[in-house]
């Protein structure tokens, strides 16, 4: 008998089934020609196993949804069992994992280690709400409602990623259900172990490999994460400086930020965005510096060099220096900039711009000027996010699948309301990226759509290892993986030519 958590397409009324398929998807721009075979609304790990077993029995694939924020709705796949983890572990559990009854969600913080464990659909905002009471935080995504599942698997450009590193570097361990329906736990120390096959003939599937892939494989991760165990950091106060300029000053503003970035304070995040401010009739370019510090005095010391930097252009229409803010206020701003779920249509793409050191402050603004000055709608924006010095750290090659980055992260987010405007907005993103692509070293999975472009997402070495790990852990391609053109990537992953 089919478990009650599973809705089969063949025996569920169309409206109920469609709501189960699309209800958890953030983007209103959807390809509804993709229709899953079943939806498994898992509340327990056993439900996840049941979903995987069903797929094995019927010869179907499984797709996975945690927070539903993949721009291209990677969770919705033709004839797959959609494992919807939105309700996974929301019930209150006792320390042995038994359900005690409905509760506020199973988020456990260990005072002794500073490690928090949580289900994959936990959002950054929810997690930080729980951690704040303990005086801790997790540097998750900037938007309140992105799920940790998709975010962490692809690397996670979290708070102050520029200096603190990628969010996935704070993953201490994962619990997962494999493509065979086995429950596994893997952590960093597993990466050193060489487990033999049961017949003792050679290296078998290694838990360490799965842990390696969990930090950068993104939708190519060949298993289902059911819990993350995450290292937290002390919760500090938040302060920010905001400088708004006319669009004509774009090159000078970005040049200033690029010049200041390498030596800027290590707890300070630096972003330049072109967008329409609320009520404005023309877009502006904004330099936004956010710092995490224990006091106002420390924040002023951090932000003063940027305020007084010789390259700071004159002519700011707004100049706010070192104002107190909070994670809650920043989340609210991000939520306003990314309305939803399911109210707006989105298209995004991105590139890591090749860094050339000394001439970056003239070359990079020139490469990005068109993108920043041609926004197609009031809600759309273009973003430069400084990754230097994280991007310059030596010795991190291939200790995680995540391996692609440069000093300059650039992303476009087209946001609109009506289907009739799809072509103009999607076209803007694709055309603009095409012009930037010759100057890029690769892209970030998190803001990508492989149906349109497959740039480099990993170094060649990491891409090859990821292919091997996927084949070892999921030889039949049970887990859907990358949604490329026609959804045919299977165990081969994305096209070899690009990695
Ligand atoms: C409004 C908005 C703001 C964003 N801001 C940021 C940001 O600040 N920083 C950043 O880095 N990214 C950001 N992103 C990108 C976001 O991190 C990715 O879209 C990410 O995939 C979303 O994770 P999710 O769990 O919500 O998505 P989902 O759509 O649920 O998951 C995406 C895919 O990841 C895989 N996956 C998810 N969970 C699991 C799991 N438990 N086990 C195995 N595979 C799984 C599956 O292939 C799944 O289809 C943003 C996206 C949006 C829409």
């Amino acid at each position: 008998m089919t478990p009650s958590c599973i809705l089969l397409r063949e025996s569920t009324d169309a409206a109920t089934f469609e709501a189960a398929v699309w209800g958890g998807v953030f983007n209103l721009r959807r390809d509804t020609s993709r229709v899953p075979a079943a939806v498994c609304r898992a509340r327990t790990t056993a439900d996840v196993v049941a979903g995987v077993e069903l797929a094995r029995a019927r010869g179907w694939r499984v797709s996975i949804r945690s927070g539903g924020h993949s721009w291209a709705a990677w969770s919705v796949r033709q004839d797959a069992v959609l494992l919807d983890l939105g309700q996974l572990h929301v019930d209150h559990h006792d320390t042995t994992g038994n359900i005690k009854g409905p509760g506020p969600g199973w988020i456990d913080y260990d005072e002794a280690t500073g490690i928090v464990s949580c289900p994959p659909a936990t959002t950054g905002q929810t997690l930080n709400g729980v951690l704040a009471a303990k005086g801790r935080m997790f540097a998750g995504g900037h938007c309140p409602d992105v799920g940790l599942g998709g975010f962490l698997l692809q690397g996670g450009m979290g708070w102050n990623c520029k200096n603190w590193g990628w969010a996935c570097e704070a993953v201490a361990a994962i619990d997962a259900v494999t493509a065979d329906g086995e429950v596994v736990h893997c952590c960093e120390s597993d990466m050193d172990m060489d487990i033999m096959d049961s017949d003792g003939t050679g290296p078998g599937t290694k838990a360490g490999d799965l842990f390696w892939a969990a930090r950068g494989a993104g939708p190519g991760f060949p298993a289902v994460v059911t819990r993350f165990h995450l290292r937290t950091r002390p919760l500090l106060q938040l302060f920010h400086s905001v400088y708004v300029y006319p669009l004509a000053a774009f090159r000078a503003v970005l040049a200033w930020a690029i010049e200041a970035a390498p030596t800027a304070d290590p707890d300070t995040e630096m972003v330049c965005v072109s967008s329409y401010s609320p009520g404005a009739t023309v877009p502006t370019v904004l330099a936004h510096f956010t710092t995490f510090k224990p006091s106002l005095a420390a924040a002023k010391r951090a932000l003063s060099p940027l305020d007084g930097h010789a390259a700071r252009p004159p002519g700011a229409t707004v100049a706010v220096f070192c104002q107190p803010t909070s994670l809650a206020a920043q989340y609210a701003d991000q939520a306003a900039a990314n309305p939803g779920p399911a109210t707006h249509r989105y298209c995004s793409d991105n590139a890591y711009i090749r860094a050339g050191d000394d001439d970056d402050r003239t070359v990079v603004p020139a490469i990005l000027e068109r993108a920043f000055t041609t926004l197609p709608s009031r809600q759309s924006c273009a973003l430069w996010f400084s990754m230097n010095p994280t991007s310059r750290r030596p010795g991190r090659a291939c200790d995680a699948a995540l391996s692609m980055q440069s000093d300059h992260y650039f992303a476009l987010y087209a946001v609109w309301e009506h289907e009739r405007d799809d072509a103009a907005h999607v076209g803007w993103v694709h055309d603009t990226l095409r012009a930037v692509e010759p100057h890029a070293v690769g892209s970030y999975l998190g803001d990508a759509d492989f149906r349109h472009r497959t740039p480099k997402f990993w170094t060649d070495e990491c891409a090859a290892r990821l292919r091997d790990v996927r084949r070892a852990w999921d030889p039949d391609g049970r887990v859907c993986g990358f949604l490329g053109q026609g959804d045919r990537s299977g165990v081969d992953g994305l096209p070899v030519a690009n990695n």
Side-chain angles (χ1 to χ4, degrees), residues 24-27 63-77 85 88 120-121 140-159 166 218-228 334 338-339 346 413 444-447 479 481:
V25 171
F26 180 78
N27 193 347
S63 65
I64 303 143
R65 176 152 75 223
S66 287
H69 275 59
S70 143
W71 301 105
W74 292 329
S75 58
V76 180
R77 309 293 273 271
L85 310 184
L88 182 66
H142 298 76
C143 289
D145 48 5
V146 170
L148 286 171
F151 170 81
L152 286 171
L153 285 171
Q154 66 212 7
M157 229 174 247
W159 293 106
W166 292 83
F221 185 65
V224 187
V225 179
T226 52
R227 284 190 85 73
F228 287 100
Q334 291 292 334
N338 297 284
Y346 290 85
Y413 306 95
Y444 175 47
L445 287 165
D447 288 329
V479 181

Side-chain angles (χ1 to χ4, degrees), residues 178-223:
T178 68
D180 287 340
E182 251 185 85
V183 177
V184 296
H185 173 89
C186 42
C187 59
E188 212 144 20
S189 57
D190 292 330
M191 303 227 323
D192 306 325
M193 287 167 52
D194 217 8
I195 298 170
M196 304 300 277
D197 279 331
S198 49
D199 63 1
T201 53
T205 50
K206 290 190 282 183
D209 279 344
L210 204 57
F211 185 73
W212 175 87
R215 294 161 310 137
F221 185 65

